Amino acid sequence: MGRGKVELKRIENKINRQVTFAKRRNGLLKKAYELSVLCDAEVALIIFSNRGKLYEFSSTSSMPKTLEKYHRCTYGALEPGQTEIDTQKNYQEYLKLKAKVEVLQRLQRHFLGEDIGELGTKELEQLEHQLDFTLKQIRSTKMQFMLDQLSDLQRKEDILLETNRNLRKKLDESASALQPSWETGDQSNPYNHHPLPQSEGFFEPLQCTSSLQIGYNPTVTDQATATASAPNGFIPGWML
């Protein structure tokens, strides 16, 4: 039964990752050696571990000669006015920049919490101090930003309050200016100070008793009936 397909992704377990690196490194070096012997090929192999340890193989007696041949094939003929020394300097500068990029990438992974299982105690302490310093810088910048925002809001509040006071002052001045004109208009209006005279006899109060009679009153009814039936207002004695 054949082996299953291995998923190509980073091995998270540190021990498994180191074991896999050692096995595949040895297998790669063996394949390079076999290729150089079987096919009479010039093979150069360079391997760097994640800790920066170098592993190399060269089918010739000198690795620099193979690398020089690689440089000539890669960069081609020299440009006019450019010497081989200049090319070598440029290549050395390229290697330095490449090494710096690799260091920065490794530090970035460490800051993200990746690949820290292979670090020692001293390196972990340095990383912790660096993270603490970075966190303090971030908090300080955040606090300064919030203070600037608060100061800006307070300045806007002062401007709005000053505008409100100016508008209220103008409103009070306008009301004070209109008050004399209102008083002059009241004095010039004759209807406001001379009430209309009432003609005498126009209003006469009704003559009525203060008591209210509800229902049948036999005395009043008998008197009204006698007055209506007696001629000239004379009431016979038997009716009294």
Side-chain angles (χ1 to χ4, degrees), residues 46 48 67 70-71 75 87-103:
I46 299 176
F48 285 97
L67 293 178
Y70 166 76
H71 295 159
Y75 297 104
T87 305
Q88 188 68 20
K89 288 182 179 179
N90 293 335
Y91 181 73
Q92 294 296 330
E93 186 68 21
Y94 160 75
L95 293 179
K96 292 179 181 179
L97 293 176
K98 183 179 180 181
K100 290 181 179 180
V101 170
E102 292 177 354
V103 171

Side-chain angles (χ1 to χ4, degrees), residues 46-75:
I46 299 176
I47 302 175
F48 285 97
S49 67
N50 52 7
R51 290 190 175 185
K53 189 175 180 180
L54 173 63
Y55 301 91
E56 63 179 343
F57 167 80
S58 176
S59 60
T60 62
S61 59
S62 176
M63 175 71 75
K65 291 183 179 180
T66 305
L67 293 178
E68 183 179 356
K69 187 177 181 180
Y70 166 76
H71 295 159
R72 288 196 302 267
C73 294
T74 302
Y75 297 104

Side-chain angles (χ1 to χ4, degrees), residues 12-59:
E12 299 297 336
N13 187 275
K14 178 183 176 181
I15 298 177
N16 295 339
R17 185 167 64 247
Q18 292 177 350
V19 171
T20 303
F21 173 76
K23 289 182 177 181
R24 291 181 178 266
R25 178 200 63 203
N26 296 333
L28 186 60
L29 292 173
K30 182 179 179 181
K31 291 293 183 182
Y33 170 73
E34 293 176 354
L35 180 63
S36 64
V37 173
L38 295 175
C39 302
D40 192 19
E42 185 177 355
V43 180
L45 176 62
I46 299 176
I47 302 175
F48 285 97
S49 67
N50 52 7
R51 290 190 175 185
K53 189 175 180 180
L54 173 63
Y55 301 91
E56 63 179 343
F57 167 80
S58 176
S59 60

